[in-house]
């Protein structure tokens, strides 16, 4: 649905998927004109994003502004993807975050608790006032994409490192409201509540230890 409205290139990353249904989807994406980049084995969301960033930068035109990232689990609607694009065009030097409303009753408890905890942590450690730290719908300026290629993290923790990098670079952050969609209690997400939460927590632990050592 987004293809007819996008007006630019669409890059899809196959992060080592072995699901036959996914293989069919990637084949359909190619038929529709998308560029499909494939990892031989699963490397994690951060690695998938870096692969996409690298391809975009290598194939960018002189007018390339940046990219919009969207997850493939059904959470991000076409109008919100297009709104994120428009926000990036209006604020080409800002990191754009598509932010969900976690106050609704139908939001899964693990998502609501996880986001609230992360927002508090980002505020406590970095003074960042964010309403959705875990959103995968983001508008990323081209210059920042190049910086992100050297930012550590190949898993979900990479998206947290992205926010910290933006803070350290003094980047503006533009938040726009998007629909809050969870299909089948978010069963389609590959986020591991225990393992990936520990990886994200490690980001803050490393920062705390680094700050303590510097002091």
């Amino acid at each position: 649905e987004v293809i007819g409205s996008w007006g630019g290139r669409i890059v899809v990353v196959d992060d080592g998927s072995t699901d036959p249904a996914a293989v069919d989807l990637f084949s359909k994406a190619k038929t529709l004109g998308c560029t499909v980049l494939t990892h031989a084995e699963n490397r994690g969301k951060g690695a998938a994003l870096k692969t996409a960033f690298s391809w975009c930068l290598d194939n960018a035109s002189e007018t390339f502004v940046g990219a919009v990232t969207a997850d493939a689990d059904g959470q991000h609607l076409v109008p919100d993807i297009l709104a994120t694009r428009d926000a990036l065009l209006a604020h080409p030097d800002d990191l754009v975050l598509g932010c969900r409303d976690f106050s609704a009753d139908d939001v899964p408890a693990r998502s609501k608790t996880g986001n609230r905890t992360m927002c508090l942590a980002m505020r406590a450690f970095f003074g960042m006032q964010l309403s959705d730290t875990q959103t995968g719908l983001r508008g990323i300026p081209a210059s920042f994409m190049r910086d992100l290629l050297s930012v550590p993290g190949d898993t979900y923790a990479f998206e947290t490192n992205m926010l910290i990098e933006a803070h350290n670079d003094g980047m503006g952050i533009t938040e726009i409201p998007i629909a809050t969609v969870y299909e089948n209690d978010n069963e389609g997400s590959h986020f591991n509540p225990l393992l990936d939460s520990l990886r994200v927590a490690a980001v803050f632990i490393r920062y705390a230890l680094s700050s303590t050592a510097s002091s």
Side-chain angles (χ1 to χ4, degrees):
E1 185 180 349
V2 73
I3 292 176
S5 307
W6 182 249
R9 293 176 172 176
I10 297 178
V11 179
V12 179
V13 180
D14 172 5
D15 188 27
S17 177
T18 57
D19 186 344
V23 173
D24 291 339
L25 288 175
F26 291 126
S27 177
K28 183 177 181 181
K30 288 182 180 179
T31 301
L32 292 172
C34 301
T35 296
V36 178
L37 309 176
T38 303
H39 290 168
E41 58 184 22
N42 183 269
R43 293 168 52 191
K45 185 177 183 181
L49 288 172
K50 291 175 187 176
T51 292
F53 294 164
S54 181
W55 187 93
C56 289
L57 291 168
D58 288 344
N59 293 274
S61 66
E62 293 183 358
T63 58
F64 180 59
V65 175
V68 172
T69 64
D71 295 338
D73 56 6
Q75 287 192 47
H76 302 141
L77 305 182
V78 172
D80 292 329
I81 294 173
L82 298 178
T84 303
R85 175 202 62 187
D86 294 343
L88 179 61
L89 291 173
H91 306 277
D93 296 320
D94 285 6
L95 173 63
V96 179
L97 303 179
C99 298
R100 299 159 291 181
D101 179 6
F102 287 90
S103 63
D105 294 335
D106 57 348
V107 176
R110 66 172 182 170
S111 298
K112 186 176 297 187
T113 301
N115 187 72
R116 182 181 296 117
T117 300
M118 283 294 297
C119 286
L120 290 172
M122 294 299 287
R123 184 182 307 172
F125 280 88
F126 304 101
M128 301 178 71
Q129 301 281 348
L130 302 175
S131 58
D132 188 354
T133 61
Q134 297 173 305
T135 179
L137 183 54
R138 304 182 179 196
I140 304 172
S143 59
F144 190 44
M145 289 169 64
R146 193 172 300 281
D147 293 341
L148 289 173
L149 294 179
S150 59
V151 168
D154 285 341
T155 62
Y156 280 95
F158 173 72
E159 291 183 315
T160 301
N161 287 334
M162 182 189 300
L163 297 177
I164 296 171
E165 184 72 11
H167 170 75
N168 291 339
D169 287 353
M171 285 186 67
I173 295 180
T174 296
E175 294 187 329
I176 64 170
I178 63 172
T180 307
V181 180
Y182 287 102
E183 296 182 349
N184 299 320
D185 200 34
N186 204 24
E187 290 180 356
S189 174
H190 292 284
F191 183 84
N192 184 305
L194 177 59
L195 184 58
D196 286 310
S197 292
L198 288 174
R199 287 169 173 161
V200 171
V203 173
F204 295 101
I205 293 172
R206 285 197 298 269
Y207 176 81
L209 292 175
S210 176
S211 298
T212 300
S214 298
S215 299

